[in-house]
Structure formats: structure tokens, C-alpha cells
Amino acid sequence: MKLAELLKKRWYIFLAAGIVLIASIILIIALAMNSTKKLSVAFYNVEEDIIKYLEPEIEKAWPKEVEFTVLSTDDSFSVEKAGKYDAVITWSGKEARILAKNAAEMPATIYGGMPTSVQKAGLSGDKKVFLPLLYDYSPLFYSKSSLNRGFDEVTDLVSLDAMAQKAIDEYGFSIYTAGSNYDHFYGFMSSLCESIAGAEGYKKLCGFISSGKELGEYIDEKLTEIGGEDITFRTILEYIIRLQDSKSLSGQWHAYSTNDLFLLMSEDMIYTTSMPLSYYRTIPMRVAANYKPIRFPLGMDNVEHSFVAQTLVMFVGKKTAKKQDFLKALVSSSVQERLSESTMLIPVSSQAGCYDIYADDGRFYAASSFGGLISPINKECFTTADEEAAFKDALVNYITYRKY
């Protein structure tokens, strides 16, 4: 064989080998890329009515396949299991912070379209770990008919006290709360505690409660100071007792049901009531229309306040945290507007349209609360229903028998 033919033959061999090598590299890269195409998302303890609207928005924002898993508190969910998902969506609070222990820190640019106070809902300690998606809160609802009966609008706790006293003779119930329901009970308690103690006092109180100590061990610990007077948890509980003693608030409010709430509202027998905005959405309009929500009245307006709001948040793994386009899409004004319209909750975007004026008011209250969004006591301090029940029992024991 001539030298030229030999070289030509070897050249073909090298070329074929090169083609095979390149093809192998392309295949390996393709497989590697495919392995990151699928996004695994877990919903933990999130209501179905919210999930069904979030799923399509996530699918639109993620260019490849998405796999959803729906988990509840019946499932054994841990930090390790949370790490197996690219993203986890749940409600803010103590359990969310535990589950997100190994989550990636969010890029700071993601929060640009949110009010500063809402951005604080993304913090776990001093790190931005959560992406706020939507939030709920517990306003004080008052009967619109009261304005035709000579009642003044409630602006603070002092005016609430005065109007609640007047309502004793005008309504069946001055202040009503369906306290047998944990979300209603703790929504009312948390809003009242923040109103009296302010942002720092409320956070300090949550720290005491989260510590696992008995109520008697911190009931007299200073939360804040007003006019030289120390404000403690006992101060707040004594305020509730005064409401009960004056008949503005029934001594059995902690046992009232949501069924009774609806019936009493339908007969316009309640002057004011506290409930989550999300629950108010479930009441037929013919009844709900007579009740208007306002921010829970503040006891002090010369201190920094936080906004007690249950916030739907997402935390992610390191690879997902790099996908800024995906994260930005979920909090964009267009997506947020659609989510607010469908879920009737409050959008985190400052520019998004809201479901109605009540959601928009909630966004204003949040934006003006420089202490940021913080969860109700039961979510901020506990991880189980047993803990919620035990603490409620301790509070009811105090406001009923004045023990501790």
C-alpha cells in the first residue's frame, strides 16, 4: 500500500473516531442538561384552592417539565426530605424556617418589586431564604349599619373601647371572635398583642413563647414601655379580661364557632369581629357586604409596628436559586395580579392589581408597617396542633381564672 493511501486511510479512521467522540460529548451534555430540565416542586400544608392556581403559573415560568408533589401535615416532612425538592412552597413561620435550614439564599434582585416591609418576610435570621408569594391577615370587621346608628369609625384601641361599649345596647355582640377555630383565635390574639406591644414587643413575645417555657415564666417579662410603664404579656391579657368584664367581649369568645359567626352576621347582630380575610371570602356576599374590614386598631402609633400576616413563601435549592428569570416571573406584577384575582389573597408586588379594595388595603397596611410581615403566634411559635392547643388552654385558663 502506498504511503499516500495509508495516510488517507488513517485520516478517515481519525475522523470517524473524532465524530464518535464529539457525538458522545454532545450526548453527555444533553443528558446532563436533561437532568436539570425537570423542576420538582413540593407544596407542604398548602390549601388545594391555592395550589390549583399556583401550578399553572409555575409551569409557565419554568421552560421545561415540572413535577408537583402535594404534602400535608400528615406526611413526615423533614429538613432532609425538603432538600430533595428543587422548590418547596409552604406558609411562613417556625416550621418553614426549620424546613429551610439547608435552603439556598435568594438573589437580592428578586425582591425589587416588593415593598420593604414585605421583603422582610423573606428573611430567616439575617439571610434572604424565602420568596414571598401571597399573604393573608386578620382585619377587624365592623357592621356598616353602625355608621347609620350614630357610631364613629374605629381608628385605634381607645375608639374601639368606646364604640364597643356603645354597641352593648345596640348589638347582640360588641366584639365577636370564633375562638374555637385556631386561625380565628390566634389571629385575634396576635393582632391585639402586636397592637399593644408594637413590632419589637411582639417579636420578643414570640421568642418567649417559642422557647417552650411555661406561661408563668415570662408573663411579667418586659416587652416594651409606654410612658414609663412596662408592657408585659400580663398587661395584654388583663386588657382582654377588662373587655370581658365590661361585656364588650363575651367570656366564652374562645369557644364560639364559625357557624355561629355566619348566622349572627347574617342577622347583623355583631358590631365588630376578627377573622382571616381568606375566611371572609367564603361568606356569601349578601352577608359579607354589610361588614367592612379595617386594620386591627393600634394601641400605640408612636412606635414601629409589624403587620401580622400569614405569608405563602417558597424556598429553593442552590441550582434553582440561580434561575433568576424563573423566580422573578413568580413575583412579577402580571403573575401576581393573576394570583390575587384567583386566590383573593394579597399580592407581594407593589405594582400588581388586586382582587378588590380589601386586598389593596391589606397591601397598604403591610407597606406602612416598617417592622415587616410576621406570622400569627400559632405559626410563628409552634409546629404542631398539640402545641397550639396547649398554649390556647393556658391563655384561656388565665383570662378565665386569672391564674399565673
Short mmCIF file of all heavy atoms in Angstrom, two decimals, residues 24 48 86 106 128 136 163 165 196 203 212 222 230 261 308 312 373:
data_model
loop_
_atom_site.label_atom_id
_atom_site.label_comp_id
_atom_site.label_asym_id
_atom_site.label_seq_id
_atom_site.Cartn_x
_atom_site.Cartn_y
_atom_site.Cartn_z
N SER A 24 -20.42 11.65 21.42
CA SER A 24 -20.51 11.21 22.82
C SER A 24 -20.57 12.39 23.77
O SER A 24 -21.33 12.40 24.73
CB SER A 24 -19.30 10.32 23.16
OG SER A 24 -19.28 9.18 22.34
N GLU A 48 -55.68 23.34 48.65
CA GLU A 48 -55.87 22.96 47.25
C GLU A 48 -56.32 24.13 46.39
O GLU A 48 -55.94 24.24 45.22
CB GLU A 48 -56.89 21.81 47.15
CG GLU A 48 -56.38 20.48 47.68
CD GLU A 48 -57.39 19.36 47.49
OE1 GLU A 48 -58.41 19.59 46.78
OE2 GLU A 48 -57.17 18.27 48.04
N ASP A 86 -36.52 20.74 44.31
CA ASP A 86 -35.89 21.97 43.82
C ASP A 86 -36.53 23.19 44.48
O ASP A 86 -35.88 24.22 44.66
CB ASP A 86 -36.05 22.07 42.30
CG ASP A 86 -35.35 20.94 41.57
OD1 ASP A 86 -34.18 20.66 41.90
OD2 ASP A 86 -35.98 20.33 40.68
N MET A 106 -31.59 33.54 48.50
CA MET A 106 -32.19 34.11 47.30
C MET A 106 -31.36 35.30 46.80
O MET A 106 -30.83 36.06 47.61
CB MET A 106 -33.61 34.59 47.60
CG MET A 106 -34.61 33.50 47.87
SD MET A 106 -35.19 32.76 46.33
CE MET A 106 -36.41 31.59 46.99
N LYS A 128 -31.76 36.09 53.30
CA LYS A 128 -32.96 36.05 52.47
C LYS A 128 -33.10 34.65 51.89
O LYS A 128 -32.48 34.29 50.89
CB LYS A 128 -32.85 37.10 51.36
CG LYS A 128 -32.95 38.52 51.88
CD LYS A 128 -32.91 39.55 50.76
CE LYS A 128 -33.12 40.94 51.32
NZ LYS A 128 -33.05 42.00 50.29
N ASP A 136 -52.03 36.77 53.72
CA ASP A 136 -53.36 36.88 54.30
C ASP A 136 -53.21 37.60 55.64
O ASP A 136 -52.10 37.67 56.19
CB ASP A 136 -53.91 35.46 54.52
CG ASP A 136 -55.38 35.42 54.91
OD1 ASP A 136 -56.04 36.47 54.82
OD2 ASP A 136 -55.84 34.34 55.30
N MET A 163 -66.62 52.61 71.26
CA MET A 163 -67.69 52.15 70.38
C MET A 163 -68.19 50.76 70.79
O MET A 163 -69.37 50.45 70.66
CB MET A 163 -67.21 52.13 68.93
CG MET A 163 -66.95 53.52 68.32
SD MET A 163 -68.41 54.59 68.38
CE MET A 163 -68.01 55.65 69.79
N GLN A 165 -68.36 49.68 73.83
CA GLN A 165 -69.25 49.91 74.97
C GLN A 165 -70.63 50.36 74.50
O GLN A 165 -71.66 49.91 75.01
CB GLN A 165 -68.64 50.96 75.90
CG GLN A 165 -67.65 50.40 76.89
CD GLN A 165 -68.29 49.45 77.89
OE1 GLN A 165 -69.12 49.83 78.70
NE2 GLN A 165 -67.91 48.18 77.83
N ILE A 196 -50.69 46.37 70.90
CA ILE A 196 -50.31 46.94 72.20
C ILE A 196 -48.79 46.99 72.37
O ILE A 196 -48.25 47.98 72.86
CB ILE A 196 -50.96 46.13 73.34
CG1 ILE A 196 -52.48 46.29 73.28
CG2 ILE A 196 -50.42 46.58 74.70
CD1 ILE A 196 -53.24 45.45 74.29
N LYS A 203 -42.29 40.58 68.62
CA LYS A 203 -41.24 39.61 68.31
C LYS A 203 -40.61 39.04 69.58
O LYS A 203 -40.27 37.86 69.66
CB LYS A 203 -40.18 40.28 67.43
CG LYS A 203 -40.66 40.58 66.01
CD LYS A 203 -39.62 41.33 65.20
CE LYS A 203 -40.16 41.69 63.82
NZ LYS A 203 -39.19 42.50 63.03
N GLY A 212 -40.55 27.47 74.70
CA GLY A 212 -41.10 26.28 75.34
C GLY A 212 -41.31 26.43 76.83
O GLY A 212 -41.75 25.50 77.50
N LYS A 222 -40.73 42.18 80.49
CA LYS A 222 -40.98 43.43 79.77
C LYS A 222 -40.92 43.21 78.26
O LYS A 222 -39.95 42.66 77.74
CB LYS A 222 -39.96 44.49 80.19
CG LYS A 222 -40.11 45.81 79.46
CD LYS A 222 -39.04 46.80 79.94
CE LYS A 222 -39.09 48.10 79.15
NZ LYS A 222 -38.07 49.07 79.62
N ASP A 230 -43.98 49.66 82.04
CA ASP A 230 -43.60 48.43 81.36
C ASP A 230 -44.85 47.72 80.83
O ASP A 230 -45.84 47.58 81.56
CB ASP A 230 -42.85 47.49 82.30
CG ASP A 230 -41.44 47.98 82.60
OD1 ASP A 230 -41.01 48.96 81.97
OD2 ASP A 230 -40.79 47.39 83.50
N LEU A 261 -70.83 32.45 63.89
CA LEU A 261 -70.37 33.71 63.31
C LEU A 261 -71.18 34.07 62.08
O LEU A 261 -71.67 35.20 61.94
CB LEU A 261 -68.88 33.60 62.95
CG LEU A 261 -68.28 34.77 62.15
CD1 LEU A 261 -68.32 36.05 62.96
CD2 LEU A 261 -66.85 34.44 61.73
N VAL A 308 -49.11 41.62 61.19
CA VAL A 308 -49.33 40.19 61.43
C VAL A 308 -50.03 39.61 60.21
O VAL A 308 -51.21 39.88 59.97
CB VAL A 308 -50.16 39.95 62.70
CG1 VAL A 308 -50.37 38.45 62.92
CG2 VAL A 308 -49.47 40.57 63.91
N LEU A 312 -47.49 33.12 52.28
CA LEU A 312 -47.11 31.94 51.50
C LEU A 312 -45.73 32.20 50.92
O LEU A 312 -45.51 33.20 50.22
CB LEU A 312 -48.12 31.70 50.37
CG LEU A 312 -48.00 30.36 49.64
CD1 LEU A 312 -48.40 29.21 50.57
CD2 LEU A 312 -48.88 30.34 48.40
N LEU A 373 -43.61 41.99 57.70
CA LEU A 373 -44.63 40.96 57.90
C LEU A 373 -44.13 39.93 58.90
O LEU A 373 -42.97 39.54 58.87
CB LEU A 373 -44.94 40.25 56.58
CG LEU A 373 -45.39 41.09 55.38
CD1 LEU A 373 -45.83 40.17 54.25
CD2 LEU A 373 -46.51 42.03 55.75
#
